[in-house]
Amino acid sequence: MTSTWVEPSNTATALLLLGRGSDPATERGVECPGDLPAPSDPDLVARAAAAKAALGTKVFVLGHHYQRDEVIQFADVTGDSFKLAREAAARPDAEYIVFCGVHFMAESADILTSDAQKVILPDLAAGCSMADMAVLSQVEKAWDVLTDLGVAQDTVPVTYMNSSADIKGFVGRHGGVVCTSSNAKRALDWAFEQGSKVLFLPDQHLGRNTAVLEMGFSLDDCVLYDPHKPNGGLTPEQLRDAKMILWRGHCSVHGRFTLDSVNDVRERVPGVNVLVHPECRHEVVTAADYVGSTEYIIKTIGAAPAGSAWAVGTELNLVRRLALAHPDKQIMFLDRAVCYCSTMNRIDLPHLVWALEELVAGRVVNQITVDPDTAHHARVALDQMLALPGADTPPPTTV
């Protein structure tokens, strides 16, 4: 699962996110070894339904909450990344797991499912900008820095679920744990029982928000490690004194929400409830009324009284779906600008139809596999997360 990292140009990155071009520095690509149906094909829905019916119980389709509606309609289960991976593992009779999400999610499904099951990602270019901000070679170099300073033995690595299998494997090899946005506090509580400091990967905002707002740390207890700078851009004293070493990574969707967005919606909509994901910036989270994972956001909106107004800071596909599902409430996107997860949206109906029809024809395409050594150590870190107290009942977060 390792690859040589080449810093892409701004233009190349922009084109890739827009669905044009490819990323030759990784295993991902955009070419399909066959004919991709045209988006204008009026029979796409019927073709997807027919292919899925022909495969029957051999196929299990997973749809992430941020996925397009045209794809979600064919999902057997919807949910966040970890829930979907566990759902796949709970279907041992399904030979094919078609994961309508992004690359790291499909990796997690491959790690948790049996060797007999094949995990398929309809478009290999459906990646995650946050996960790609932590490359194994960079993290290993950072660990070398901590080792040279004599603090690595006191440091516990914790990685967010939104990370590559390589990073999960690194964390497992070094006695760490994986976390989700729901159980980040429990994971950090456990980590600080093992050591005196944490290297938190790859989302700086989730790490900072959890440490400061839920655990009582100060902002001064947190330092930001930039892998593109010598020693992360930090002095030895800063690294030695820090309790939370936050990786310089973020979600391209949640990171765009600003304090101005919150202030603007409060001025426009009196009495509005601001509900955001903990991947948002610290100043946005502290200004919000409610903060929680994607599942928490869905449950909060569902339980809200009729007539209430909600400005939601998360991916637009989900916000639109919530608004349609709850017409008795005023539900709006926190930011005035449209903000889809561009890489998640690479998986569209043509790619799903193509993948399913190839399976019907007996051809397995776009299979995601994690090498056994990486999978073993990643599973160690995932199992440690599952062993956390209260792992099955993640608490909501409010501020």
Side-chain angles (χ1 to χ4, degrees):
M1 297 307 296
T2 58
S3 59
T4 302
W5 170 255
V6 177
E7 187 71 30
S9 67
N10 291 335
T11 300
T13 300
L15 289 174
L16 181 64
L17 293 177
L18 289 171
R20 304 165 191 164
S22 62
D23 182 2
T26 74
E27 63 195 334
R28 303 180 191 116
V30 295
E31 298 301 323
C32 297
D35 294 326
L36 191 67
S40 58
D41 185 341
D43 297 325
L44 284 177
V45 171
R47 288 173 64 177
K52 193 165 183 284
L55 291 166
T57 57
K58 292 175 64 177
V59 70
F60 192 62
V61 180
L62 305 173
H64 191 270
H65 286 309
Y66 298 166
Q67 191 53 259
R68 301 165 178 256
D69 287 345
E70 67 187 51
V71 171
I72 281 288
Q73 66 179 313
F74 293 104
D76 294 300
V77 172
T78 60
D80 60 19
S81 58
F82 185 58
K83 174 187 175 182
L84 293 178
R86 293 187 74 180
E87 288 283 352
R91 302 308 197 282
D93 295 334
E95 183 178 352
Y96 307 118
I97 304 297
V98 177
F99 209 127
C100 298
V102 295
H103 198 268
F104 79 81
M105 301 178 187
E107 286 183 328
S108 296
D110 183 61
I111 291 167
L112 294 175
T113 52
S114 72
D115 292 340
Q117 294 175 287
K118 298 176 177 63
V119 178
I120 292 143
L121 187 66
D123 187 342
L124 290 180
C128 170
S129 59
M130 180 201 295
D132 290 343
M133 289 176 191
V135 178
L136 180 60
S137 60
Q138 297 173 332
V139 176
E140 289 177 331
K141 186 176 180 180
W143 196 257
D144 289 341
V145 170
L146 298 179
T147 300
D148 291 342
L149 288 175
V151 298
Q153 69 270 21
D154 300 317
T155 304
V156 179
V158 177
T159 189
Y160 189 22
M161 191 72 187
N162 299 27
S163 58
S164 69
D166 278 346
I167 300 304
K168 293 184 179 76
F170 171 89
V171 169
R173 280 192 295 272
H174 291 277
V177 65
V178 177
C179 76
T180 68
S181 55
S182 296
N183 67 15
K185 180 182 182 298
R186 286 197 301 279
L188 288 177
D189 283 338
W190 174 86
F192 280 108
E193 292 174 358
Q194 318 306 312
S196 60
K197 60 177 75 244
V198 163
L199 172 63
F200 193 89
L201 303 155
D203 180 27
Q204 58 169 301
H205 300 306
L206 177 63
R208 182 182 297 107
N209 290 330
T210 305
V212 174
L213 299 178
E214 295 190 60
M215 301 179 69
F217 290 141
S218 71
L219 289 173
D220 290 337
D221 291 323
C222 307
V223 296
L224 190 62
Y225 190 99
D226 187 340
H228 301 291
K229 295 180 179 179
N231 296 325
L234 300 166
T235 66
E237 290 74 21
Q238 287 176 308
L239 286 168
R240 289 191 182 101
D241 293 342
K243 291 184 173 65
M244 290 285 293
I245 302 172
L246 305 170
W247 195 259
R248 191 179 184 87
H250 65 274
C251 171
S252 58
V253 172
H254 294 108
R256 71 174 291 126
F257 298 114
T258 65
L259 185 57
D260 287 342
S261 304
V262 178
N263 294 335
D264 175 69
V265 78
R266 290 199 191 281
E267 291 178 4
R268 290 187 290 111
V269 186
V272 68
N273 297 280
V274 177
L275 171 61
V276 303
H277 195 281
E279 290 175 22
C280 291
R281 303 180 193 188
H282 186 67
E283 60 269 25
V284 172
V285 168
T286 54
D289 300 300
Y290 302 90
V291 183
S293 68
T294 303
E295 295 286 351
Y296 172 68
I297 289 172
I298 294 170
K299 291 177 181 178
T300 299
I301 293 295
S308 57
W310 295 84
V312 185
T314 193
E315 206 273 344
L316 184 55
N317 272 318
L318 175 59
V319 178
R320 290 180 58 191
R321 196 172 296 127
L322 288 171
L324 291 173
H326 302 282
D328 59 329
K329 301 157 194 174
Q330 186 180 2
I331 301 171
M332 66 207 77
F333 194 56
L334 177 58
D335 194 86
R336 290 190 187 220
V338 173
C339 186
Y340 292 101
C341 177
S342 56
T343 48
M344 181 79 70
N345 271 263
R346 293 192 73 116
I347 295 185
D348 53 13
L349 196 50
H351 280 88
L352 178 61
V353 168
W354 169 76
L356 291 174
E357 289 183 343
E358 288 293 295
L359 291 177
V360 171
R363 295 185 291 268
V364 178
V365 294
N366 291 8
Q367 183 178 353
I368 301 300
T369 57
V370 179
D371 70 85
D373 183 68
T374 300
H376 167 75
H377 289 100
R379 182 64 184 259
V380 168
L382 286 165
D383 284 345
Q384 181 56 64
M385 178 180 73
L386 294 174
L388 294 173
D392 292 325
T393 55
T397 304
T398 58
V399 296

